[in-house]
Amino acid sequence: MKKRLTELIKQGRMDISSYQEYQLIRYVELLHKWNSTYNLTSVRDPHDMVIKHIMDSLVVSPYLKGKTFIDVGTGPGLPGIPLAIINPTKSLTLLDCLGKRINFIRQVIYELKINNITTVKSRVEEFQPEEGFDGVLSRGFASMKNMVKICHHLPSQNGRFLALKGRIDQKEIDDLPAECSVTDIKPLSVPGLEGERHLVILVK
């Protein structure tokens, strides 16, 4: 598994240290271990996790402009944990409403000695941060319209919404509220993964 991750990182021309690779592999191992009991992800094979979870998260890293980010509906910590591992100078808040997911993330933080993640167990609508975030990440919202509606209070004045999507649906973009606009759509090339992936960047 480690050899496969190293190959994929080289394919993606990513600057990731050997220790960060170790942390990413340990995260996959922990996710695989916990998944059998807590059903944290539908991806069962750890080798598939390397591509569908780790690499699919890491490709977003070049677009993290700023210092503070929140991963909304993070599930078992995706894309937040991989991004935190390779961006130790950035601060990531991982939010989810299910205790089993937050408990898993806290165990990962403890075992991998990650010090730039804050966990929040809450519904998005009920979470009121003291300050807005430079970026609001989402990998799991059904639509960008819902993302903007539910997370409208999370970005800072100049903050951005970063929505990880598969194929771009123009109707989904057309359905966005008037006060929100798409500033960029970045095609993402995920090493080892077939199918389309995009990052949609939105501002209020």
Side-chain angles (χ1 to χ4, degrees), residues 19 26 43 104 107 113 123 130 133 167 177 182 198 200:
Y19 181 66
R26 281 293 296 136
V43 181
F104 168 71
Q107 185 65 26
K113 297 179 174 60
R123 292 177 57 84
E130 293 183 5
F133 296 91
R167 184 175 296 177
V182 174
H198 294 86
V200 182

Side-chain angles (χ1 to χ4, degrees), residues 4-14 55 190-192:
R4 180 60 171 153
L5 177 61
T6 301
E7 291 173 351
L8 293 169
I9 287 172
K10 285 182 179 178
Q11 286 180 30
R13 299 179 180 179
M14 299 175 180
M55 299 308 300
V190 182

